[in-house]
Amino acid sequence: MLTINNLHLTLGGNRILNGLDLSVPAGEVHAIMGPNGSGKSTLSYTVAGRDGYEPDHGDVTLDSESLLEMGPDERAARGMFLSFQSPPAIPGVATMNFLRTALNAQRKARGEEEMSSAEFLKVFREHAKTVGLSPEKLKRPFNDGYSGGEKKRMEMLQMALFQPRFAIMDETDSGLDIDALKMVGEVVNSLRGPDRGFLVITHYQRLLDYVKPDRIHVLAGGRIVHSGGPELAQELEQSGYEQFAEEAA
Amino acid sequence: MSSPITLTAFEDRLFADLPEDELTAVLRSRGLPSRRTETWKWSDLRGALREAREPSGEFRGEDPQPILPTDGATVLTLRNGCPEAPRGVEPKPILHEGEKIGVTYVVEDGLVLSFYDEGRAPEAASPGDELSALAASAPLVSISVLPGFEHKVAVRRLSDGEGRHVDSIYLTVGEGATATLLETHDVTGSPFVNSRTEIEVDAGATLKRYVAQPAASEAVVVHTAELRLAEEEGERKAKVEQSVLALGAHLARHETRAVQLGAGEMQADALYRLDNALHTDITSHLTFAGEGGQADQLVKGIAGGRSRGVFQGKFLVERGAQETDAQMAHHALLLSKGAQINAKPELEIYADDVECAHGNTAGAIDPDALFYMRQRGVPEEEARGLLIEAFAAEVLDRISDDAVRSAFERLLTERTL
């Protein structure tokens, strides 16, 4: 499904990604763990196609199709979703209007029929309830006056709404309490299926109690230095990342 | 007085057409306002009007659809500067020392329109103020909303050709009256439109003034408004809500000069949206002459292409104007490397118990918001459009007249597409 091949990327003269290889088959959830500055967020921006994050070498494919020549909106229409580590507030942009525009833009790009206002409203309300965002909050401009936790709920609402083929969750757990972590687990688990893949980026093991990964990868020095099964999370929690520092260097 | 200058072909012809008075004399000596004039340094009127222009003559175009909705409004149409008398109402002569100097129409209960044969006697103007003085010499049209009444008046200025059109409107809003004044500039061709709107707002009266000027890439538009807000009577204040939507011209300047004599309230907003090589200058000068004046000004601009936006805002708080509360903000969004914004927010304060502030920013579209929206599937152009709309919305949301707000939104969207 998602294949990253020998990815190299330089930002401001610094090599951030350094020959990263990763493959997440359809139906699986993989986690990436790694110390600060190991390139986790850079990886998510590169895969999503942010301006300025064009790789020097390597390729990123989704369902065997290279994403690198596509703009972020084209990648989104192919089913790529990024749950942002720090989602921005967008003052003046009405939440529902924006999300319906986005959903229908994706549908249009895929040659699907647009969703009517009524249908959208129904689906939107359901997901809002699941993630625990009140109708009052949703009347505000996008993320305007939202707490960190509420912004993360909004990310999960959108993941449920867009039903992506592949979702990257960039530190969705940071700043969340136990109840919110449970909610994230519910959303991910309800979406898990044979046609969908997830890449969960995190510092800590605790999210993985709610979202059980199939594989865990350690990212250090801009590449994957170690991979293992779910038990690796516990190991890392106890022994830290230092053991991989040498491999990264 | 500075040494005589070499006049442009336009000035040569203009001064030959003007009567030999003091105003013409000062203009002849210093020329039209230009880069060298402090208050016009970013709007080179002289440079924009170099060539001689043939008079436009009569307005030849068809009457277009109104730019702002005129439902329920008394409409005053000026074609190439010439006001059209109201239909279906008998004029009465205005006499001065036995001589007829104009005609007057009682259009409705509490609404009187008067057309004078002549304008004001010209006065020498200080540098930068000549355009308002020139417009003031046009035959005066006076609009009176009598005390206690509520009226909506639309002043539609239709212009074509390439000549110079001047007009001068004088509106009084009597005690306790409510007036809505819609002013539009519908310009085709390359005329030089020089308009003046003078307004008196009495105690307890409310004025809502909305100005819309759609893009006119070849034209030069200079519109000066001079407002006086009367001293309050008890709790009864003079209140003004003003919003200007300016979509650019070869050179356009919308200037507001307001004096608050006491505890008045004024909102002096503007929104400009420019592309290509269009230019818009929003200049305002608010004077607080009495105690307890309030002003709230939000000006926003969006500039793309090689366009230029200018904001000059000044609050002058005179000695004794204690408890003045005045906020000024100008924010600009630059959509291209070639676009330019010049801003000069100024406070000049001679009283010690006041609350005055100004803010000024200029920047590009927020890259985080743009990437976020695109990541959700919104194509780049559409995402930019939504962010531009959102930026403008703050000014539009402050317009209390729903129909005007919708019309402004529509004008802006048509422009953005």
PDB file of all heavy atoms in Angstrom, chain A residues 49-61:
ATOM      1  N   GLY A  49       3.206  16.119   1.129  1.00  0.00           N
ATOM      2  CA  GLY A  49       3.504  17.012   0.003  1.00  0.00           C
ATOM      3  C   GLY A  49       3.560  18.485   0.323  1.00  0.00           C
ATOM      4  O   GLY A  49       3.189  19.320  -0.500  1.00  0.00           O
ATOM      5  N   ARG A  50       4.021  18.814   1.504  1.00  0.00           N
ATOM      6  CA  ARG A  50       4.125  20.226   1.839  1.00  0.00           C
ATOM      7  C   ARG A  50       5.205  20.904   0.985  1.00  0.00           C
ATOM      8  O   ARG A  50       6.267  20.316   0.743  1.00  0.00           O
ATOM      9  CB  ARG A  50       4.466  20.384   3.327  1.00  0.00           C
ATOM     10  CG  ARG A  50       4.531  21.835   3.718  1.00  0.00           C
ATOM     11  CD  ARG A  50       4.481  22.069   5.204  1.00  0.00           C
ATOM     12  NE  ARG A  50       4.361  23.511   5.390  1.00  0.00           N
ATOM     13  CZ  ARG A  50       3.854  24.099   6.436  1.00  0.00           C
ATOM     14  NH1 ARG A  50       3.408  23.381   7.434  1.00  0.00           N
ATOM     15  NH2 ARG A  50       3.769  25.405   6.515  1.00  0.00           N
ATOM     16  N   ASP A  51       4.932  22.159   0.571  1.00  0.00           N
ATOM     17  CA  ASP A  51       5.920  22.941  -0.184  1.00  0.00           C
ATOM     18  C   ASP A  51       7.213  23.013   0.617  1.00  0.00           C
ATOM     19  O   ASP A  51       7.182  23.269   1.822  1.00  0.00           O
ATOM     20  CB  ASP A  51       5.420  24.378  -0.410  1.00  0.00           C
ATOM     21  CG  ASP A  51       4.490  24.461  -1.606  1.00  0.00           C
ATOM     22  OD1 ASP A  51       4.369  23.447  -2.330  1.00  0.00           O
ATOM     23  OD2 ASP A  51       3.878  25.524  -1.809  1.00  0.00           O
ATOM     24  N   GLY A  52       8.333  22.843  -0.042  1.00  0.00           N
ATOM     25  CA  GLY A  52       9.616  22.919   0.644  1.00  0.00           C
ATOM     26  C   GLY A  52      10.106  21.570   1.149  1.00  0.00           C
ATOM     27  O   GLY A  52      11.228  21.456   1.621  1.00  0.00           O
ATOM     28  N   TYR A  53       9.257  20.551   1.055  1.00  0.00           N
ATOM     29  CA  TYR A  53       9.630  19.217   1.535  1.00  0.00           C
ATOM     30  C   TYR A  53       9.776  18.254   0.357  1.00  0.00           C
ATOM     31  O   TYR A  53       9.269  17.144   0.388  1.00  0.00           O
ATOM     32  CB  TYR A  53       8.605  18.693   2.544  1.00  0.00           C
ATOM     33  CG  TYR A  53       8.674  19.399   3.881  1.00  0.00           C
ATOM     34  CD1 TYR A  53       8.157  20.681   4.038  1.00  0.00           C
ATOM     35  CD2 TYR A  53       9.274  18.802   4.988  1.00  0.00           C
ATOM     36  CE1 TYR A  53       8.239  21.345   5.251  1.00  0.00           C
ATOM     37  CE2 TYR A  53       9.353  19.456   6.207  1.00  0.00           C
ATOM     38  CZ  TYR A  53       8.837  20.728   6.328  1.00  0.00           C
ATOM     39  OH  TYR A  53       8.918  21.380   7.535  1.00  0.00           O
ATOM     40  N   GLU A  54      10.453  18.726  -0.711  1.00  0.00           N
ATOM     41  CA  GLU A  54      10.653  17.881  -1.882  1.00  0.00           C
ATOM     42  C   GLU A  54      11.918  17.062  -1.665  1.00  0.00           C
ATOM     43  O   GLU A  54      12.984  17.633  -1.416  1.00  0.00           O
ATOM     44  CB  GLU A  54      10.775  18.733  -3.155  1.00  0.00           C
ATOM     45  CG  GLU A  54       9.495  19.477  -3.562  1.00  0.00           C
ATOM     46  CD  GLU A  54       9.243  20.774  -2.784  1.00  0.00           C
ATOM     47  OE1 GLU A  54      10.209  21.278  -2.157  1.00  0.00           O
ATOM     48  OE2 GLU A  54       8.101  21.259  -2.797  1.00  0.00           O
ATOM     49  N   PRO A  55      11.826  15.738  -1.745  1.00  0.00           N
ATOM     50  CA  PRO A  55      12.996  14.889  -1.485  1.00  0.00           C
ATOM     51  C   PRO A  55      14.088  15.051  -2.550  1.00  0.00           C
ATOM     52  O   PRO A  55      13.802  15.401  -3.693  1.00  0.00           O
ATOM     53  CB  PRO A  55      12.436  13.463  -1.526  1.00  0.00           C
ATOM     54  CG  PRO A  55      10.985  13.570  -1.727  1.00  0.00           C
ATOM     55  CD  PRO A  55      10.625  14.965  -2.073  1.00  0.00           C
ATOM     56  N   ASP A  56      15.335  14.799  -2.122  1.00  0.00           N
ATOM     57  CA  ASP A  56      16.458  14.826  -3.063  1.00  0.00           C
ATOM     58  C   ASP A  56      16.523  13.508  -3.838  1.00  0.00           C
ATOM     59  O   ASP A  56      16.906  13.469  -4.991  1.00  0.00           O
ATOM     60  CB  ASP A  56      17.789  14.992  -2.313  1.00  0.00           C
ATOM     61  CG  ASP A  56      17.735  16.127  -1.310  1.00  0.00           C
ATOM     62  OD1 ASP A  56      17.146  17.167  -1.646  1.00  0.00           O
ATOM     63  OD2 ASP A  56      18.264  15.969  -0.185  1.00  0.00           O
ATOM     64  N   HIS A  57      16.213  12.425  -3.145  1.00  0.00           N
ATOM     65  CA  HIS A  57      16.241  11.095  -3.760  1.00  0.00           C
ATOM     66  C   HIS A  57      15.076  10.305  -3.206  1.00  0.00           C
ATOM     67  O   HIS A  57      14.547  10.622  -2.157  1.00  0.00           O
ATOM     68  CB  HIS A  57      17.511  10.318  -3.359  1.00  0.00           C
ATOM     69  CG  HIS A  57      18.769  10.943  -3.835  1.00  0.00           C
ATOM     70  ND1 HIS A  57      19.124  10.993  -5.161  1.00  0.00           N
ATOM     71  CD2 HIS A  57      19.757  11.553  -3.140  1.00  0.00           C
ATOM     72  CE1 HIS A  57      20.283  11.608  -5.265  1.00  0.00           C
ATOM     73  NE2 HIS A  57      20.684  11.976  -4.052  1.00  0.00           N
ATOM     74  N   GLY A  58      14.795   9.207  -3.911  1.00  0.00           N
ATOM     75  CA  GLY A  58      13.834   8.253  -3.385  1.00  0.00           C
ATOM     76  C   GLY A  58      12.436   8.476  -3.907  1.00  0.00           C
ATOM     77  O   GLY A  58      12.198   9.388  -4.709  1.00  0.00           O
ATOM     78  N   ASP A  59      11.518   7.642  -3.433  1.00  0.00           N
ATOM     79  CA  ASP A  59      10.147   7.718  -3.928  1.00  0.00           C
ATOM     80  C   ASP A  59       9.172   7.359  -2.813  1.00  0.00           C
ATOM     81  O   ASP A  59       9.534   6.680  -1.849  1.00  0.00           O
ATOM     82  CB  ASP A  59       9.980   6.743  -5.113  1.00  0.00           C
ATOM     83  CG  ASP A  59       8.791   7.131  -5.998  1.00  0.00           C
ATOM     84  OD1 ASP A  59       8.164   8.183  -5.712  1.00  0.00           O
ATOM     85  OD2 ASP A  59       8.484   6.388  -6.943  1.00  0.00           O
ATOM     86  N   VAL A  60       7.963   7.887  -2.955  1.00  0.00           N
ATOM     87  CA  VAL A  60       6.869   7.528  -2.051  1.00  0.00           C
ATOM     88  C   VAL A  60       5.712   7.102  -2.934  1.00  0.00           C
ATOM     89  O   VAL A  60       5.284   7.862  -3.803  1.00  0.00           O
ATOM     90  CB  VAL A  60       6.427   8.724  -1.179  1.00  0.00           C
ATOM     91  CG1 VAL A  60       5.262   8.336  -0.281  1.00  0.00           C
ATOM     92  CG2 VAL A  60       7.582   9.256  -0.357  1.00  0.00           C
ATOM     93  N   THR A  61       5.228   5.886  -2.763  1.00  0.00           N
ATOM     94  CA  THR A  61       4.096   5.438  -3.578  1.00  0.00           C
ATOM     95  C   THR A  61       2.937   5.014  -2.690  1.00  0.00           C
ATOM     96  O   THR A  61       3.127   4.499  -1.588  1.00  0.00           O
ATOM     97  CB  THR A  61       4.472   4.252  -4.497  1.00  0.00           C
ATOM     98  OG1 THR A  61       4.827   3.138  -3.675  1.00  0.00           O
ATOM     99  CG2 THR A  61       5.622   4.604  -5.433  1.00  0.00           C
TER     100      THR A  61
END
